[in-house]
Amino acid sequence: MYWEAEIEQLPVGKLDKLQLDRLRQTLGRAVRSPFYRRQFAAAGVVAERLTHIEQIRSLPFTTKEDLRNHFPYGFLTVPKDGPVRLHCSSGTTGNPTVVFHDRHDLDSWANLVARSLFCAGIRPTDVFQNICGYGLFTGGLGFQYGAERLGALVIPAAAGNSRRQIKLMQDFGTTAVHAIPSYLFRLHGAFVELGLDPRRDTLLRHFVIGAEPHTEGQRRRIEELFGVRAFNSYGLSEMNGPGVAFECIEQRGLHIWEDCFVAEVIDPVTLDPLPEGEVGELVLTTLDRRAMPLLRYRTRDLTRILPGPCACGRSHRRIDRISGRSDDMLILKGCNIFPLQIEKVLMRFPEVGSNYLIVLQTRKDGDQMEIRVEVQKEWFTGNMEELEVLSRRIGHEVRDEILITPVIRLVEPGSLPQSEGKAVRVQDLRTFQEDL
Ligand code: ADP
Ligand code: ZN
């Protein structure tokens, strides 16, 4: 029941050995890039001195800032005519970063995505509709080639146009879908508008969801709305894109493909390694990338390594779902808050819809958090008293979680702005007064 039985079940000792071999090869390649040549010289990095994979900790980190500062060719290990494709991250938080791939890299990536899909129960007999942006975004071509490699029939549906998505699903009997979680709620709305129920009127059975933070509660909602099982897919463009870590059918954490990546979890402040089970920032090293290897890349994503083996038999360790980013942390009145903490509370209320927006504002009496929450249609009865009670209950539970009392504003379904791509959950409108 594996895509690559031997590699996926490789005993931990052998996996360590494979990682060490590949790390040393990777260092040998990386030193050909202008960035790592300089960095290795400054830090005295010598590949031959590494005799155990744990010594990866002696290497310097690579950051998004490094990628930006050496844009576009500073990390390339081959002549400029060597790579065959590039992808850029969406650059939601600044200048874009670019990653180049040669043929080997693309081949390895497609295989990892095929392995991931197989691990989540998708098979060559599936009809796989890829509902996400193509182009520079890695989810489009990444899943396209991966699902083709698996042998599924792939519909390159791209993002948006929900009615057309539904028509494609019905025309071609789509059984598996990849999409970002926030879009799926909109898609469900389109089914309802057409008087259709995806559980009855489609053959959908498997979803792959990822690319943006979401909670277990959102996953369960998606599964119920569509009558499917939804599997968490984690990746980032710096590490190819999708196919870095993926849930297996156990749905208990995401296997990180350790033959192709070294995963470490560090304290984002002290940068010290953290033991298994503790939440910190995920740091990743590529082991099978040639045109542009990256060493100890700081993802800024917060997670932990789950202890113990997985019932599926794969030996590759699992990470927990991403619980936030070390850089999307909000600091309000001295409290550190992650938007996902708030989402987790909201999802406990069946009355709450799928969209919400956290707005931070400066008021006369200090900074304030307002949470605008869409309420399910059937609950938005206009009965002010009931809504009052509900918003008070939500306010209490959020305060228990984040230690700050928010203002809760319940709004009608569909009234909050929806982004085309990844959901925007926070608007920081605070005016910062400079210290005198
Ligand atoms: P950008 O942030 O510029 O859009 P990417 O498209 O590479 O760049 O996005 C990668 C980021 O998306 C990850 O670092 C992570 O924060 C987020 N992400 C991807 N998959 C998941 C997932 N399954 N759960 C939570 N967050 C995810
Ligand atoms: Zn497993």
Side-chain angles (χ1 to χ4, degrees):
M1 276 305 150
Y2 305 99
W3 179 246
E4 291 155 291
E6 195 186 332
I7 202 86
E8 290 176 51
Q9 299 176 96
L10 208 60
V12 175
K14 285 196 176 162
L15 204 48
D16 282 356
K17 165 111 191 13
L18 178 68
Q19 284 195 323
L20 179 65
D21 287 349
R22 288 188 163 183
L23 177 64
R24 286 168 63 148
Q25 283 168 21
T26 300
L27 291 175
R29 286 207 180 84
V31 74
R32 292 180 209 145
S33 73
F35 175 82
Y36 285 119
R37 191 182 318 130
R38 244 174 288 141
Q39 203 198 43
F40 286 8
V45 174
V46 182
E48 291 69 34
R49 283 207 206 122
L50 297 185
T51 53
H52 196 276
I53 191 63
E54 238 118 71
Q55 290 164 335
I56 194 172
R57 293 177 189 160
S58 65
L59 303 176
F61 293 107
T62 306
T63 63
K64 196 156 192 130
E65 221 36 54
D66 293 329
L67 290 175
R68 285 187 183 138
N69 292 341
H70 297 84
F71 179 88
Y73 296 119
F75 281 81
L76 206 54
T77 64
V78 293
K80 282 179 199 158
D81 58 2
V84 295
R85 199 197 300 163
L86 65 79
H87 279 283
C88 289
S89 88
S90 56
T92 28
T93 47
N95 294 326
T97 52
V98 61
V99 173
F100 296 96
H101 302 274
D102 70 9
R103 275 184 215 290
H104 170 87
D105 301 333
L106 292 180
D107 190 64
S108 168
W109 179 18
N111 182 59
L112 282 178
V113 174
R115 187 198 288 176
S116 301
L117 292 172
F118 194 95
C119 148
I122 296 172
R123 294 290 177 267
T125 44
D126 275 300
V127 178
F128 183 87
Q129 189 161 330
N130 191 18
I131 309 184
C132 83
Y134 275 63
L136 292 172
F137 182 62
T138 55
L141 293 180
F143 274 108
Q144 180 72 32
Y145 287 114
E148 286 178 7
R149 176 70 59 93
L150 178 76
L153 172 63
V154 190
I155 308 177
N161 200 339
S162 299
R163 287 190 179 215
R164 196 166 122 254
Q165 299 287 358
I166 294 170
K167 179 146 181 15
L168 286 169
M169 285 174 185
Q170 296 195 307
D171 286 347
F172 300 110
T174 301
T175 53
V177 161
H178 163 246
I180 59 176
S182 54
Y183 172 71
L184 286 169
F185 292 102
R186 247 186 294 164
L187 180 65
H188 188 264
F191 269 102
V192 174
E193 269 169 33
L194 293 170
L196 297 172
D197 181 346
R199 289 171 297 194
R200 189 189 59 215
D201 303 315
T202 69
L203 299 177
L204 296 172
R205 64 180 194 102
H206 263 80
F207 278 12
V208 170
I209 57 175
E212 66 181 9
H214 57 286
T215 51
E216 184 65 29
Q218 269 197 331
R219 181 240 292 273
R220 294 296 167 211
R221 276 192 179 190
I222 289 169
E223 291 189 323
E224 274 160 34
L225 286 174
F226 288 90
V228 298
R229 289 189 77 195
F231 296 88
N232 196 348
S233 147
Y234 170 78
L236 59 162
S237 53
E238 292 83 355
M239 297 288 128
N240 300 340
V244 177
F246 226 88
E247 263 181 345
C248 65
I249 48 167
E250 301 293 327
Q251 290 186 325
R252 294 207 178 117
L254 298 81
H255 289 283
I256 187 145
W257 301 125
E258 295 187 283
D259 55 325
C260 294
F261 303 97
V262 181
E264 302 169 77
V265 175
I266 62 163
D267 180 317
V269 179
T270 64
L271 307 184
D272 289 332
L274 290 175
E276 209 174 70
E278 276 187 38
V279 175
E281 183 181 322
L282 184 66
V283 171
L284 293 172
T285 298
T286 63
L287 292 178
D288 194 28
R289 222 165 58 185
R290 298 185 178 173
M292 194 174 148
L294 288 179
L295 301 166
R296 303 196 82 203
Y297 182 70
R298 291 190 57 185
T299 65
R300 300 287 175 181
D301 293 319
L302 299 177
T303 184
R304 62 189 179 119
I305 303 275
L306 295 175
C310 184
C312 76
R314 291 179 178 82
S315 55
H316 301 233
R317 290 179 303 165
R318 290 162 302 154
I319 55 170
D320 204 351
R321 70 171 55 248
I322 306 295
S323 59
R325 284 178 62 85
S326 62
D327 57 359
D328 79 351
M329 191 172 71
L330 309 169
I331 303 184
L332 187 70
K333 297 179 180 166
C335 291
N336 298 348
I337 302 160
F338 291 102
L340 276 185
Q341 284 179 285
I342 294 171
E343 179 180 310
K344 209 168 70 188
V345 173
L346 297 179
M347 287 300 128
R348 291 206 287 259
F349 289 85
E351 300 92 335
V352 164
S354 52
N355 207 359
Y356 65 94
L357 183 68
I358 300 165
V359 185
L360 305 178
Q361 290 156 315
T362 305
R363 291 268 178 264
K364 267 200 242 76
D365 48 350
D367 289 345
Q368 182 205 65
M369 174 187 287
E370 179 175 294
I371 310 176
R372 297 180 193 158
V373 187
E374 284 187 7
V375 181
Q376 306 270 21
K377 224 195 236 118
E378 57 271 32
W379 290 89
F380 205 87
T381 53
N383 181 334
M384 291 311 285
E385 222 166 279
E386 271 177 35
L387 289 176
E388 235 344 86
V389 174
L390 178 60
S391 67
R392 260 207 307 276
R393 277 173 50 221
I394 294 176
H396 280 307
E397 292 211 15
V398 172
R399 193 202 50 213
D400 285 348
E401 173 74 29
I402 65 170
L403 309 178
I404 282 190
T405 309
V407 174
I408 304 289
R409 219 172 89 202
L410 302 179
V411 299
E412 271 182 88
S415 64
L416 291 176
Q418 289 178 329
S419 75
E420 264 303 306
K422 303 185 186 202
V424 177
R425 303 296 195 193
V426 182
Q427 253 177 31
D428 195 344
L429 307 174
R430 285 177 291 182
T431 45
F432 290 97
Q433 284 169 355
E434 280 173 38
D435 290 337
L436 293 171

